[in-house]
Structures are given as C-alpha cells and as structure tokens.
Coordinates of all heavy atoms in Angstrom, one line a residue:
M1 N 1.6 1.1 -38.4 CA 2.9 0.5 -38.2 C 3.0 -0.8 -39.0 O 2.2 -1.6 -39.0 CB 3.0 0.2 -36.7 CG 4.4 -0.1 -36.2 SD 4.6 -0.4 -34.4 CE 4.1 1.0 -33.7
S2 N 4.1 -0.9 -39.7 CA 4.3 -2.1 -40.6 C 4.8 -3.3 -39.7 O 5.1 -3.2 -38.6 CB 5.4 -1.7 -41.6 OG 6.6 -1.6 -41.0
G3 N 4.7 -4.4 -40.4 CA 5.1 -5.7 -39.8 C 6.5 -5.7 -39.1 O 6.7 -6.1 -38.0
P4 N 7.5 -5.3 -39.9 CA 8.9 -5.3 -39.3 C 9.0 -4.4 -38.1 O 9.7 -4.7 -37.2 CB 9.8 -4.9 -40.5 CG 9.0 -5.2 -41.7 CD 7.6 -5.1 -41.3
T5 N 8.3 -3.2 -38.2 CA 8.4 -2.3 -37.0 C 7.7 -2.9 -35.8 O 8.2 -2.7 -34.7 CB 7.8 -0.9 -37.4 OG1 8.4 -0.5 -38.6 CG2 8.0 0.1 -36.3
K6 N 6.6 -3.5 -36.0 CA 5.9 -4.2 -34.9 C 6.8 -5.3 -34.3 O 6.9 -5.4 -33.1 CB 4.6 -4.8 -35.3 CG 3.5 -3.9 -35.4 CD 2.2 -4.6 -35.7 CE 1.0 -3.6 -35.9 NZ -0.2 -4.3 -36.3
A7 N 7.4 -6.1 -35.1 CA 8.3 -7.1 -34.6 C 9.5 -6.6 -33.9 O 9.9 -7.1 -32.8 CB 8.8 -8.0 -35.8
M8 N 10.0 -5.5 -34.3 CA 11.1 -4.8 -33.6 C 10.7 -4.3 -32.3 O 11.4 -4.4 -31.3 CB 11.7 -3.7 -34.5 CG 13.0 -3.1 -33.9 SD 14.3 -4.3 -34.1 CE 15.7 -3.2 -34.0
S9 N 9.5 -3.7 -32.2 CA 8.9 -3.2 -30.9 C 8.7 -4.4 -29.9 O 9.1 -4.2 -28.8 CB 7.6 -2.5 -31.2 OG 7.8 -1.4 -32.0
V10 N 8.2 -5.5 -30.4 CA 8.0 -6.6 -29.5 C 9.3 -7.2 -29.0 O 9.5 -7.5 -27.8 CB 7.2 -7.7 -30.2 CG1 7.2 -9.0 -29.5 CG2 5.8 -7.3 -30.5
T11 N 10.3 -7.2 -29.9 CA 11.7 -7.7 -29.5 C 12.3 -6.7 -28.5 O 12.9 -7.2 -27.5 CB 12.6 -7.7 -30.8 OG1 12.0 -8.6 -31.7 CG2 14.0 -8.2 -30.4
T12 N 12.1 -5.4 -28.7 CA 12.6 -4.5 -27.7 C 12.0 -4.6 -26.4 O 12.7 -4.6 -25.3 CB 12.4 -3.0 -28.3 OG1 13.1 -3.0 -29.5 CG2 13.0 -2.0 -27.3
L13 N 10.7 -4.8 -26.3 CA 10.0 -5.0 -25.0 C 10.4 -6.3 -24.4 O 10.6 -6.4 -23.1 CB 8.5 -4.9 -25.2 CG 7.9 -3.6 -25.5 CD1 6.4 -3.6 -25.8 CD2 8.2 -2.6 -24.4
A14 N 10.6 -7.4 -25.2 CA 11.0 -8.6 -24.6 C 12.4 -8.5 -24.0 O 12.7 -9.1 -23.0 CB 11.0 -9.7 -25.7
A15 N 13.3 -7.8 -24.8 CA 14.7 -7.6 -24.3 C 14.7 -6.8 -23.0 O 15.5 -7.0 -22.1 CB 15.5 -6.9 -25.3
L16 N 13.7 -5.8 -22.8 CA 13.6 -5.0 -21.6 C 13.2 -6.0 -20.4 O 13.8 -5.9 -19.4 CB 12.6 -3.9 -21.8 CG 12.3 -3.1 -20.5 CD1 13.5 -2.4 -20.0 CD2 11.2 -2.1 -20.7
V17 N 12.3 -6.8 -20.7 CA 11.9 -7.8 -19.6 C 13.0 -8.7 -19.2 O 13.3 -8.9 -18.0 CB 10.6 -8.6 -20.1 CG1 10.3 -9.7 -19.1 CG2 9.4 -7.6 -20.2
L18 N 13.7 -9.2 -20.2 CA 14.8 -10.1 -19.9 C 16.0 -9.4 -19.2 O 16.6 -9.9 -18.3 CB 15.3 -10.8 -21.2 CG 14.3 -11.8 -21.8 CD1 14.9 -12.2 -23.2 CD2 14.1 -13.0 -20.9
T19 N 16.3 -8.2 -19.7 CA 17.3 -7.4 -19.0 C 17.0 -7.1 -17.6 O 17.8 -7.2 -16.7 CB 17.6 -6.1 -19.8 OG1 17.9 -6.5 -21.2 CG2 18.7 -5.3 -19.2
T20 N 15.7 -6.7 -17.3 CA 15.3 -6.4 -16.0 C 15.4 -7.7 -15.1 O 15.8 -7.7 -14.0 CB 13.9 -5.9 -16.0 OG1 13.8 -4.7 -16.8 CG2 13.4 -5.5 -14.6
A21 N 14.9 -8.8 -15.6 CA 15.0 -10.1 -14.9 C 16.4 -10.5 -14.6 O 16.7 -10.9 -13.5 CB 14.3 -11.2 -15.7
Y22 N 17.3 -10.3 -15.5 CA 18.7 -10.6 -15.3 C 19.3 -9.7 -14.2 O 20.0 -10.1 -13.3 CB 19.5 -10.4 -16.6 CG 21.0 -10.7 -16.5 CD1 21.5 -11.9 -16.8 CD2 21.9 -9.7 -16.1 CE1 22.8 -12.2 -16.7 CE2 23.3 -10.0 -16.0 CZ 23.7 -11.2 -16.3 OH 25.1 -11.5 -16.2
T23 N 18.9 -8.4 -14.3 CA 19.4 -7.5 -13.3 C 18.9 -7.8 -11.9 O 19.7 -7.8 -10.9 CB 19.0 -6.0 -13.6 OG1 19.6 -5.7 -14.9 CG2 19.4 -5.0 -12.6
V24 N 17.7 -8.2 -11.7 CA 17.1 -8.6 -10.4 C 17.8 -9.9 -9.9 O 18.1 -10.0 -8.7 CB 15.6 -8.8 -10.5 CG1 15.0 -9.4 -9.3 CG2 14.9 -7.4 -10.8
A25 N 18.0 -10.9 -10.8 CA 18.5 -12.2 -10.4 C 20.0 -12.2 -10.1 O 20.5 -12.7 -9.1 CB 18.1 -13.2 -11.4
L26 N 20.8 -11.5 -11.0 CA 22.2 -11.7 -11.0 C 23.0 -10.4 -10.8 O 24.2 -10.4 -10.7 CB 22.7 -12.3 -12.3 CG 22.2 -13.7 -12.5 CD1 22.6 -14.2 -13.9 CD2 22.6 -14.7 -11.5
G27 N 22.3 -9.3 -10.7 CA 23.0 -8.0 -10.6 C 23.1 -7.2 -11.9 O 22.9 -7.8 -13.0
S28 N 23.3 -6.0 -11.8 CA 23.3 -5.1 -13.0 C 24.5 -5.4 -13.9 O 25.6 -5.7 -13.5 CB 23.3 -3.6 -12.6 OG 23.3 -2.8 -13.7
S29 N 24.2 -5.3 -15.2 CA 25.3 -5.4 -16.2 C 25.2 -4.2 -17.1 O 24.2 -4.0 -17.8 CB 25.1 -6.7 -17.0 OG 26.0 -6.6 -18.1
G30 N 26.2 -3.3 -17.0 CA 26.2 -2.1 -17.8 C 26.1 -2.4 -19.3 O 25.4 -1.7 -20.1
W31 N 26.8 -3.4 -19.8 CA 26.8 -3.7 -21.2 C 25.4 -4.2 -21.7 O 25.0 -3.9 -22.8 CB 27.8 -4.7 -21.6 CG 29.2 -4.2 -21.6 CD1 30.2 -4.4 -20.8 CD2 29.7 -3.3 -22.6 NE1 31.3 -3.7 -21.1 CE2 31.0 -3.0 -22.3 CE3 29.2 -2.6 -23.7 CZ2 31.8 -2.1 -23.0 CZ3 30.0 -1.8 -24.5 CH2 31.3 -1.5 -24.1
L32 N 24.7 -4.9 -20.8 CA 23.4 -5.4 -21.1 C 22.4 -4.2 -21.3 O 21.6 -4.1 -22.2 CB 22.9 -6.3 -20.1 CG 21.8 -7.3 -20.4 CD1 22.3 -8.2 -21.6 CD2 21.5 -8.2 -19.2
W33 N 22.5 -3.3 -20.4 CA 21.6 -2.1 -20.4 C 22.0 -1.2 -21.6 O 21.1 -0.6 -22.3 CB 21.7 -1.3 -19.1 CG 20.8 -2.0 -18.1 CD1 21.3 -2.7 -17.0 CD2 19.4 -2.0 -18.0 NE1 20.2 -3.2 -16.3 CE2 19.1 -2.8 -16.9 CE3 18.4 -1.5 -18.8 CZ2 17.7 -3.0 -16.5 CZ3 17.1 -1.7 -18.5 CH2 16.7 -2.5 -17.3
F34 N 23.3 -1.1 -21.9 CA 23.7 -0.3 -23.0 C 23.2 -0.9 -24.3 O 22.7 -0.2 -25.2 CB 25.3 -0.3 -23.1 CG 25.8 0.4 -24.3 CD1 25.7 1.8 -24.5 CD2 26.3 -0.3 -25.4 CE1 26.2 2.4 -25.6 CE2 26.8 0.3 -26.5 CZ 26.7 1.7 -26.6
G35 N 23.2 -2.2 -24.4 CA 22.7 -2.9 -25.6 C 21.2 -2.7 -25.7 O 20.7 -2.5 -26.8
W36 N 20.5 -2.7 -24.6 CA 19.0 -2.5 -24.7 C 18.7 -1.0 -25.1 O 17.8 -0.8 -25.9 CB 18.4 -2.7 -23.3 CG 16.9 -2.6 -23.4 CD1 16.0 -3.5 -23.9 CD2 16.2 -1.4 -23.2 NE1 14.8 -2.9 -23.9 CE2 14.8 -1.6 -23.5 CE3 16.5 -0.1 -22.7 CZ2 13.8 -0.7 -23.3 CZ3 15.5 0.8 -22.5 CH2 14.2 0.5 -22.9
V37 N 19.5 -0.1 -24.6 CA 19.3 1.3 -25.0 C 19.5 1.5 -26.5 O 18.8 2.1 -27.2 CB 20.2 2.3 -24.2 CG1 20.2 3.7 -24.8 CG2 19.8 2.3 -22.8
V38 N 20.6 0.8 -27.1 CA 20.8 0.9 -28.5 C 19.7 0.3 -29.3 O 19.2 0.8 -30.3 CB 22.2 0.2 -28.8 CG1 22.3 0.0 -30.3 CG2 23.3 1.0 -28.3
L39 N 19.2 -0.9 -28.8 CA 18.0 -1.5 -29.4 C 16.8 -0.6 -29.4 O 16.1 -0.5 -30.4 CB 17.7 -2.8 -28.7 CG 16.6 -3.7 -29.3 CD1 17.0 -4.2 -30.7 CD2 16.4 -4.9 -28.4
G40 N 16.6 0.1 -28.3 CA 15.5 1.0 -28.2 C 15.6 2.2 -29.1 O 14.6 2.6 -29.7
V41 N 16.8 2.7 -29.3 CA 17.0 3.9 -30.2 C 16.8 3.4 -31.6 O 16.1 4.1 -32.4 CB 18.4 4.5 -30.0 CG1 18.7 5.4 -31.1 CG2 18.5 5.1 -28.6
V42 N 17.2 2.2 -32.0 CA 17.0 1.7 -33.3 C 15.5 1.5 -33.6 O 15.0 1.8 -34.7 CB 17.8 0.4 -33.6 CG1 17.4 -0.3 -34.9 CG2 19.3 0.7 -33.6
T43 N 14.8 1.0 -32.6 CA 13.3 0.8 -32.7 C 12.6 2.1 -32.9 O 11.7 2.2 -33.7 CB 12.8 0.1 -31.5 OG1 13.5 -1.2 -31.3 CG2 11.3 -0.2 -31.6
I44 N 13.0 3.1 -32.1 CA 12.4 4.5 -32.3 C 12.7 5.0 -33.7 O 11.8 5.6 -34.3 CB 12.9 5.4 -31.2 CG1 12.3 5.0 -29.8 CG2 12.5 6.9 -31.5 CD1 12.9 5.7 -28.6
G45 N 13.9 4.8 -34.1 CA 14.2 5.3 -35.5 C 13.4 4.6 -36.6 O 12.9 5.2 -37.5
M46 N 13.2 3.3 -36.4 CA 12.4 2.5 -37.3 C 10.9 3.0 -37.3 O 10.3 3.2 -38.4 CB 12.4 1.0 -37.0 CG 13.6 0.3 -37.5 SD 13.5 -1.4 -37.2 CE 12.2 -2.0 -38.2
A47 N 10.4 3.3 -36.1 CA 9.0 3.8 -36.0 C 8.9 5.2 -36.6 O 7.9 5.5 -37.3 CB 8.6 3.8 -34.5
A48 N 9.9 6.0 -36.4 CA 9.8 7.4 -37.0 C 9.9 7.3 -38.5 O 9.2 8.0 -39.2 CB 11.0 8.2 -36.4
A49 N 10.8 6.4 -39.0 CA 10.9 6.3 -40.5 C 9.6 5.7 -41.1 O 9.2 6.1 -42.2 CB 12.1 5.5 -40.8
D50 N 9.0 4.8 -40.4 CA 7.8 4.1 -40.9 C 6.7 5.1 -40.9 O 5.8 5.0 -41.8 CB 7.5 2.9 -40.0 CG 6.4 2.0 -40.5 OD1 6.4 1.9 -41.8 OD2 5.7 1.5 -39.7
S51 N 6.6 6.0 -39.9 CA 5.5 6.9 -39.9 C 5.6 8.1 -40.9 O 4.6 8.7 -41.2 CB 5.3 7.5 -38.5 OG 6.4 8.3 -38.1
S52 N 6.8 8.3 -41.4 CA 7.0 9.4 -42.3 C 6.9 9.0 -43.7 O 6.8 9.9 -44.6 CB 8.4 10.0 -42.1 OG 9.4 9.1 -42.5
V53 N 6.8 7.8 -44.0 CA 6.7 7.3 -45.4 C 5.2 7.1 -45.7 O 4.5 6.4 -45.0 CB 7.4 5.9 -45.6 CG1 7.1 5.4 -47.0 CG2 8.9 6.1 -45.3
P54 N 4.7 7.8 -46.8 CA 3.3 7.6 -47.1 C 3.0 6.2 -47.5 O 3.8 5.5 -48.1 CB 3.0 8.5 -48.3 CG 4.4 8.9 -48.8 CD 5.4 8.7 -47.7
S55 N 1.8 5.7 -47.2 CA 1.5 4.3 -47.4 C 1.1 4.0 -48.9 O 1.2 2.9 -49.3 CB 0.3 3.9 -46.6 OG -0.8 4.7 -46.9
G56 N 0.8 5.0 -49.7 CA 0.5 4.8 -51.1 C 0.0 6.1 -51.7 O -0.1 7.1 -51.0
P57 N -0.4 6.0 -53.0 CA -0.9 7.2 -53.6 C -2.2 7.6 -53.0 O -3.0 6.7 -52.6 CB -1.1 6.8 -55.1 CG -1.1 5.3 -55.1 CD -0.3 4.9 -53.8
R58 N -2.4 8.9 -52.8 CA -3.7 9.4 -52.3 C -4.7 9.6 -53.4 O -4.3 10.0 -54.5 CB -3.4 10.7 -51.5 CG -2.5 10.4 -50.3 CD -2.3 11.7 -49.6 NE -1.3 11.4 -48.5 CZ -1.2 12.1 -47.4 NH1 -2.0 13.1 -47.2 NH2 -0.3 11.8 -46.5
R59 N -5.9 9.4 -53.0 CA -7.0 9.5 -54.0 C -7.3 11.0 -54.2 O -7.2 11.8 -53.3 CB -8.2 8.8 -53.6 CG -7.9 7.3 -53.4 CD -9.2 6.6 -53.1 NE -9.8 6.4 -54.4 CZ -11.1 5.9 -54.5 NH1 -11.7 5.6 -53.5 NH2 -11.6 5.7 -55.7
G60 N -7.6 11.4 -55.4 CA -8.0 12.7 -55.7 C -6.9 13.7 -55.9 O -7.1 14.9 -55.9
Q61 N -5.7 13.3 -56.0 CA -4.6 14.2 -56.2 C -3.9 13.9 -57.5 O -2.7 13.8 -57.6 CB -3.5 14.0 -55.0 CG -4.1 14.5 -53.7 CD -3.0 14.5 -52.6 OE1 -1.9 13.9 -52.8 NE2 -3.3 15.1 -51.5
G62 N -4.6 13.9 -58.5 CA -4.1 13.7 -59.9 C -3.8 15.1 -60.5 O -3.7 16.1 -59.8
R63 N -3.5 15.0 -61.8 CA -3.2 16.3 -62.5 C -4.5 17.1 -62.6 O -5.6 16.6 -62.8 CB -2.8 16.0 -63.9 CG -1.4 15.4 -63.9 CD -0.9 15.0 -65.3 NE -1.3 16.0 -66.3 CZ -1.3 15.8 -67.6 NH1 -1.0 14.6 -68.0 NH2 -1.6 16.8 -68.4
P64 N -4.4 18.4 -62.4 CA -5.5 19.3 -62.5 C -5.9 19.4 -64.0 O -5.1 19.4 -64.8 CB -5.1 20.6 -61.9 CG -3.6 20.6 -62.0 CD -3.2 19.1 -61.9
G65 N -7.2 19.5 -64.2 CA -7.7 19.6 -65.6 C -9.2 19.5 -65.6 O -9.8 19.4 -64.5
P66 N -9.7 19.5 -66.8 CA -11.2 19.5 -66.8 C -11.7 18.2 -66.4 O -11.1 17.1 -66.6 CB -11.5 19.7 -68.3 CG -10.2 19.4 -69.0 CD -9.1 19.6 -68.1
Q67 N -12.8 18.2 -65.7 CA -13.5 17.0 -65.2 C -14.4 16.5 -66.2 O -15.2 17.3 -66.8 CB -14.2 17.3 -63.9 CG -13.3 17.8 -62.7 CD -12.3 16.7 -62.3 OE1 -12.6 15.5 -62.3 NE2 -11.1 17.1 -62.0
P68 N -14.5 15.2 -66.4 CA -15.4 14.6 -67.4 C -16.9 14.7 -67.0 O -17.3 14.8 -65.9 CB -15.0 13.2 -67.6 CG -14.1 12.9 -66.4 CD -13.7 14.1 -65.8

C-alpha cells in the first residue's frame, strides 16, 4: 500500500470515529454519514487501484534469446 493510500485509510478511520462521536453526543446526521460513506468508497477505490498497478519491472522477464 502506497503512502497516499495509507493516509487516505487513516483519514477515513478518523472520520468514522469522529462521525460516531458526533452521533453519540448530538444525534444522527444523515449528511455526515453520507459523507463518510463517500469517503469510504473513494478509499476502497484508491486501495483497489493501488493494488492493481505493478510496483515496477519484474526480474527475469526480458526478451527471450540465447543466454550468455
């Protein structure tokens, strides 16, 4: 998991804690929960995109040919 994806995951979890605390203290807010769900979906999308991109060239996958 890359740095930006980790940061987004931490932000999403912090937003969940804050949204839950707000709901317990002041009552439920539909817009707040909707915003958290959108943030969660974006985080999942970032994680999926991050895991599908190869990290770099793989060793041993060059052009086939005679070996020295």
Side-chain angles (χ1 to χ4, degrees):
M1 194 181 297
S2 67
T5 305
K6 277 185 185 177
M8 189 69 162
S9 299
V10 169
T11 301
T12 302
L13 289 175
L16 175 62
V17 170
L18 292 174
T19 302
T20 303
Y22 181 92
T23 298
V24 168
L26 300 173
S28 184
S29 169
W31 284 110
L32 202 57
W33 283 104
F34 175 75
W36 184 82
V37 168
V38 169
L39 185 64
V41 169
V42 170
T43 302
I44 290 169
M46 281 182 67
D50 192 35
S51 66
S52 68
V53 175
S55 59
R58 296 182 185 204
R59 301 186 80 188
Q61 292 187 349
R63 288 179 39 200
Q67 298 296 321

